[in-house]
Amino acid sequence: MALIPFRVDGSFAEKSVTDWTRRRIAAPSDLDEVIAKGRVAGLYVPFWTFDSKEAIEYWASYKTGSGKNKRTKRVSGNMTIHFDDLLVPASQHVTPLIRDGILHDFQPGYLRPYKAGYLAGFAAERHHWTVAKGLSMNAQDKDLLIRNRIKKHVGKSGTRVDRYRTDTTGIHYRRILLPVWILHYSYQGTAKKVVVSGIDGRTFGERPFSPWKLAGYSAILTILTMALGLVWGATGIL
């Protein structure tokens, strides 16, 4: 139904991958060399966007007072939430983790009505996952958003949402395509990928760790902790 055209070209994406790799702490020394052998490929990846109206009844609690006067205050209430264009992957190529890494600032205003000409020179993947699966994948994200909205509605520090129930109506969805650059690589026989947003160049990926570097960093932290403890103890005595 709609898509966001590529706004970032391949050369920019390759630089983004290189920069991302060099910033990885405790990465194996040869990771740069391994990733340099790969090439980024432009792909329009399928997503769903979901709209809904939620009529919510909730029960929550928070602490009041202090010391012996500390009490638990229980409250309940009703509220309505409108969700617009909640973004859900419709393919295994861009997981929810990668979606959050590069597309959490998704702007529906960038969407353009679908035209085949936008796909020229790029691959485009079909929607592999059904609307029902998209809704089920969206449930966890929506639960977190609802709980945060309830806490804001209660307006008290430390609010805990004990439970809620919601009546969902007005569900609408769109099939959309979003642009990403993907670099696939293999490290010691394990397949991994780095993904770059074709909208703004934001980069996120899967990476290996060097056990030797991790051990070295752990040793340094241990030494620093011990030294800080000795200094703290000496200062206390003085």
Side-chain angles (χ1 to χ4, degrees), residues 64-85:
T64 61
S66 60
K68 294 182 178 180
N69 295 321
K70 196 170 186 178
R71 298 288 184 273
T72 298
K73 176 74 172 179
R74 302 191 184 280
V75 296
S76 61
N78 297 276
M79 59 187 296
T80 301
I81 300 176
H82 294 267
F83 287 120
D84 294 317
D85 292 312

Side-chain angles (χ1 to χ4, degrees), residues 183-237:
L183 183 143
H184 292 275
Y185 72 99
S186 177
Y187 192 86
Q188 295 184 351
T190 302
K192 299 181 182 298
K193 57 179 171 285
V194 182
V195 181
V196 181
S197 168
I199 302 171
D200 58 11
R202 195 185 303 269
T203 306
F204 185 87
E206 302 163 341
R207 46 77 58 87
F209 289 89
S210 165
W212 298 107
K213 288 184 178 180
L214 287 176
Y217 290 140
S218 177
I220 291 172
L221 287 174
T222 300
I223 292 170
L224 289 175
T225 301
M226 293 175 63
L228 181 60
L230 291 172
V231 171
W232 184 273
T235 303
I237 292 173

Side-chain angles (χ1 to χ4, degrees), residues 57-61 75-77 150 160-165:
E57 183 178 11
Y58 66 81
W59 294 264
S61 57
V75 296
S76 61
I150 291 172
R160 185 183 70 181
V161 179
D162 299 317
R163 62 189 177 95
Y164 71 86
R165 60 188 179 197

Side-chain angles (χ1 to χ4, degrees), residues 6-20 38-42 122 181-183 196-198 201 203:
F6 274 87
R7 299 157 64 98
V8 168
D9 62 23
S11 59
F12 187 95
E14 289 178 354
K15 183 179 183 303
S16 297
V17 170
T18 300
D19 293 343
W20 178 87
R39 294 186 62 184
V40 297
F122 299 103
W181 295 96
I182 300 181
L183 183 143
V196 181
S197 168
T203 306

